[in-house]
Every structure is written in structure tokens, then in C-alpha cells.
Amino acid sequence: MTVLRLGSRGTDVFILQLALSRAGFLNENPDGIFGVRTQNAVLRFQQSAGLNQDGIVGIRTWNALLPYLKGYLTHRIIRGDTLWNLSQQYNTSVGAILRANVGVNPDNLRVGTNLIIPLSFSVVPVNVPYTYQLVTFILEGLQARYPFLNGGSIGRSVMGKSIPYLRIGRGEAEVFYNASHHANEWLTTPVLLKFLEEYSESYATNGTIFNVSASELYNKATLYLVPIVNPDGVDLVNGVVPSGRYLTQARRLADNYPNIPYPNGWKANINGVDLNLQYPANWERAREIKFSQGFTIPGPRDYVGSAPLSEPESRAVYDFTRNHNFRLTLSYHSQGEIIYWKYLDYEPENSRRIAEYFGEVSGYAVEETPYASGFAGYKDWFIETYNRPGYTIEIGLGMSPLPLSQFPQIYNDNLGILVGGITEI
């Protein structure tokens, strides 16, 4: 995270304001502008945390704010602690503490041991732009709150970022959801993460999600989620790639296509390759089409790369899929409120029925992929290779990146799809 002070602007300021708001020091929606109100909130927070009160957000202030981005903190038990007292001290619930600390005996808290204390707010924010760092905080926080979640990495990006996944469920059938193949379609990332959080909370409390028992979902299928396939690209679009070789390269590649707005028009990875045109499903045909449209060299969008799977991010998703036995996949993109379900003449068993169900619960149109966009995508490769249902879900309406104001409607529209990806297999 960058050092911030009065006058700073951008995504890191949004995230700072989110943390200050959750900590109770800022009573306004994040706007990405470090003004006097934000500075005063920082000063009050620094005082409460015993930090030097300079109004500058450096490493010590960021570290003190981390619990308000991850959604939990740790407490070392001292003599006299009870779960009830701790719940009151940290404004949380006894149930949340117990769920995060499997095996803890509330009647015999051992002095000197650490407890995970989930804080009272939802971990997944829906009012700030996303970055790779924010995603890693969220994933850590979700796993701390819900120890039944398991995760890891499917590979690394061009810039060396570990591409994370989380797994929920214990059913024999495997299902795969992914988001943010395209950098400026990053709003798809919180869609998956918010679903994972609500599903996890419902399972932990024996509840329901979209009127379906979370335990039923958990026992029916094992769901794998990769919420940010293209972390470098997302960071570029949201302005947090640091100055240096990669930022210089991206600006140079953007100059190859001056009519595409920079950085908002950037879909590619940091090498200027469109990751959803990288899969070995008639890649050569995709190359012909995109070259005929003028996308012949790396740039913000629609360049297919030098060969299928030339980029580490697409190779990681490919290898991850090869190492599993997915019965169904959802690839989240924006925009159009459309469900694409076919590849060429392939029609896997139940794929049309499931697509129509998705359309019913979401209100999205169910369509076949336009020919000019119908090759070398992840969905295309999955259907061709496995002859199983694979879908591209295009969320929202407008120009990507979609505004955060659309998130509530988008999530409401897609909840039935996200649940149905498990119930309908």
C-alpha cells in the first residue's frame, strides 16, 4: 500500500476510507479523495492506536488498519477473559468467535492462546474499487472467519502475483467459477466474493441462500472460485501498478491503439494480451478475426498473443482445469446482461436447460456467442474439451468498468445463477 497524505487521490484512498469507516472514524462514503475530513479521521485513528499523529498513512498506520480490511483480529487470552466479554469488547458475537475457532471450549479458555475475533462488518466491500491487495485481504479474512474454506494458488501473473483460489463444499461433483479475465471487468470479482461470503455465512449458521439450504449445496458439490484471473490488469485499470518497467510498458502498448481510452479501456494482461482469447479452441480462427479487425500487436484489448496459452494467467487457469473434473463452469464478464452458453455446434447434455434456468432466475438474455467473439475463450475450450456445460455471464449494462452503483442490482440478478450452478448440475 502506498503512503497517503492530504491531497492524495485514487483507489488506495478509497481503501483507506473503507478501513476508517469500518473502524468508526469516518462517517461518509469513500470517494477516493484524501481531504480534510479524511485527514482528521486518520489523526483520530492514530491517536486511538497509539501512533504518531501526523495525518500521514505510512506502513505503521496501514498495519494498524489491517483488521478493518481483513475483517478480523487476534486476541491473546488473559486471565478472566470470557467469550461473552470478548464479544462485547470487540462488538461481535459469541457465535462468530466460536465459528472462527473450531475446538475452543468456551468454559476453559487457556491463558496465552490466541483467538480469532471476527469483526462485526461484512468482509467483502461493495463500495470501493478492487485491487489485488484488497482481494488477498478479503480471502484471508474469509478463511479466518470460516475455517472450512480452503485455498491456494493456481499460478502466478506476469508480475509475479499469486493467482488465488478458494474452495467450499465437500460434494463429489466439482464446479468452477472465475472472474476478471478482463481487467476493466473487475466488478465481476466482488460478485464472486460476495457470493462466497454469503454462502459461507449461511452454511456456518445452518441457513439458506436463494431459498436453498446451504448445507445441501455444501454436500452436493465442491465449488472452486478464482476471483481475479488477471490481477496485474485489474491493478493497472485501478491505478495501483507502481511506476517502473511494467507501467512504462503498458503505457507504450496503449499508444499502439490511441482510440482506446487508457486505462479504462484496458482488458488485457500487463503484456497486452487478451487472456480470454488464449485458449486452444480454434485459436487460429480467433487470430484471423482479430487481426482483420486491426488487433495485430499487443495492446489494451483483443490481441490474441503469439500462441495459445502464451500468458501465465491463461496457462494457470488451463492447468487448474486440467487438474480437476469440473462438471460446470461459469466465467464472469461484463457487460450486456447476457448468458452465452454454446460453442459452435457443441450442445452438452443439460446445457440448454441450465442456460434457460439461469435466464429465468436472472432476467438475462440467453444467447449464442456472436461469431466474431466465438473462439479461443475459456468457455469455448471447456465445452469443446469436456463436452460439459460452460457459460459466460455478462453482467450489467454500460461501458466497462461498470460503476459500483450497479453492484446491488447485478448481485441480486446473479445470485440465482451462482446457486444454480450447483443445484442444476
Side-chain angles (χ1 to χ4, degrees):
M1 309 294 285
T2 55
V3 175
L4 302 175
R5 51 175 51 84
L6 185 66
S8 296
R9 291 173 175 256
T11 298
D12 280 345
V13 178
F14 273 101
I15 294 171
L16 166 67
Q17 292 169 329
L18 170 72
L20 291 169
S21 176
R22 287 173 166 182
F25 292 89
L26 189 64
N27 187 27
E28 58 185 44
N29 288 325
D31 62 4
I33 303 170
F34 196 135
V36 173
R37 290 183 181 179
T38 300
Q39 183 186 52
N40 289 337
V42 170
L43 289 167
R44 292 194 299 272
F45 176 79
Q46 288 173 331
Q47 181 181 34
S48 73
L51 300 171
N52 180 37
Q53 298 170 56
D54 59 5
I56 298 172
V57 183
I59 187 169
R60 291 185 178 181
T61 302
W62 274 121
N63 285 340
L65 286 165
L66 284 182
Y68 303 101
L69 297 175
K70 297 179 179 181
Y72 79 97
L73 49 77
T74 57
H75 174 90
R76 185 176 293 275
I77 296 172
I78 62 174
R79 192 175 303 278
D81 276 344
T82 67
L83 292 190
W84 169 254
N85 290 341
L86 293 174
S87 71
Q88 297 302 296
Q89 178 180 345
Y90 293 110
N91 190 31
T92 187
S93 70
V94 171
I97 297 173
L98 284 172
R99 288 191 293 272
N101 297 275
V102 177
V104 165
N105 182 351
D107 297 321
N108 185 26
L109 298 181
R110 299 180 60 184
V111 172
T113 59
N114 289 327
L115 286 180
I116 299 293
I117 307 293
L119 301 178
S120 60
F121 49 83
S122 297
V123 179
V124 181
V126 298
N127 60 345
V128 296
Y130 268 58
T131 67
Y132 172 75
Q133 183 70 79
L134 179 60
V135 170
T136 64
F137 292 154
I138 292 167
L139 296 182
E140 180 184 330
L142 290 176
Q143 290 181 89
R145 289 189 179 201
Y146 308 110
F148 50 82
L149 294 176
N150 295 289
S153 171
I154 69 168
R156 292 191 175 273
S157 70
V158 172
M159 293 178 66
K161 299 183 179 79
S162 179
I163 302 171
Y165 76 88
L166 277 188
R167 181 183 71 202
I168 181 171
R170 60 181 172 214
E172 181 178 353
E174 293 185 325
V175 178
F176 178 44
Y177 299 168
N178 62 79
S180 289
H181 264 84
H182 288 147
N184 64 354
E185 299 174 10
W186 59 263
L187 196 62
T188 58
T189 292
V191 170
L192 291 196
L193 292 175
K194 178 55 70 175
F195 169 66
L196 179 61
E197 181 173 34
E198 292 193 356
Y199 177 8
S200 298
E201 177 68 13
S202 297
Y203 176 71
T205 58
N206 295 314
T208 62
I209 182 167
F210 200 70
N211 297 319
V212 178
S213 163
S215 292
E216 176 185 330
L217 297 178
Y218 195 90
N219 291 318
K220 180 171 185 178
T222 301
L223 172 61
Y224 293 83
L225 300 99
V226 174
I228 186 164
V229 172
N230 185 4
D232 302 340
V234 169
D235 280 357
L236 179 69
V237 168
N238 285 326
V240 295
V241 172
S243 297
R245 174 165 66 95
Y246 289 109
L247 185 60
T248 299
Q249 172 183 274
R251 287 172 172 162
R252 177 175 55 79
L253 296 179
D255 289 341
N256 293 334
Y257 299 89
N259 293 328
I260 299 175
Y262 175 84
N264 282 354
W266 192 281
K267 297 173 65 175
N269 74 348
I270 203 73
N271 281 342
V273 176
D274 191 314
L275 297 178
N276 206 42
L277 290 169
Q278 272 273 288
Y279 295 93
N282 276 292
W283 177 87
E284 294 77 9
R285 183 62 185 132
R287 183 178 185 273
E288 293 173 4
I289 292 170
K290 296 305 178 183
F291 272 43
S292 72
Q293 295 172 346
F295 299 102
T296 58
I297 55 177
R301 55 176 293 171
D302 288 336
Y303 176 64
V304 301
S306 59
L309 306 175
S310 64
E311 302 307 298
E313 299 92 346
S314 52
R315 169 62 73 172
V317 176
Y318 173 89
D319 288 342
F320 190 66
T321 304
R322 283 292 198 187
N323 290 329
H324 289 274
N325 186 28
F326 297 132
R327 294 269 300 276
L328 176 147
T329 66
L330 299 180
S331 299
Y332 265 83
H333 290 260
S334 64
Q335 48 72 40
E337 298 187 348
I338 299 170
I339 299 162
Y340 293 123
W341 67 283
K342 275 191 82 173
Y343 173 62
L344 299 179
D345 292 330
Y346 291 89
E347 189 169 327
E349 183 179 2
N350 290 324
S351 59
R352 182 189 294 269
R353 175 188 63 79
I354 295 171
E356 291 172 349
Y357 172 81
F358 288 165
E360 290 172 4
V361 297
S362 66
Y364 283 13
V366 177
E367 298 182 5
E368 296 184 18
T369 309
Y371 183 83
S373 302
F375 304 97
Y378 176 80
K379 167 188 70 69
D380 311 324
W381 169 73
F382 180 79
I383 292 173
E384 180 182 59
T385 302
Y386 296 98
N387 196 30
R388 291 176 176 174
Y391 303 92
T392 296
I393 314 296
E394 300 277 0
I395 65 168
L397 291 171
M399 184 176 292
S400 297
L402 296 173
L404 282 159
S405 60
Q406 287 197 26
F407 184 87
Q409 184 64 52
I410 287 170
Y411 186 71
N412 182 69
D413 291 343
N414 280 274
L415 184 56
I417 296 176
L418 292 160
V419 172
I422 297 173
T423 62
E424 298 304 306
I425 56 174

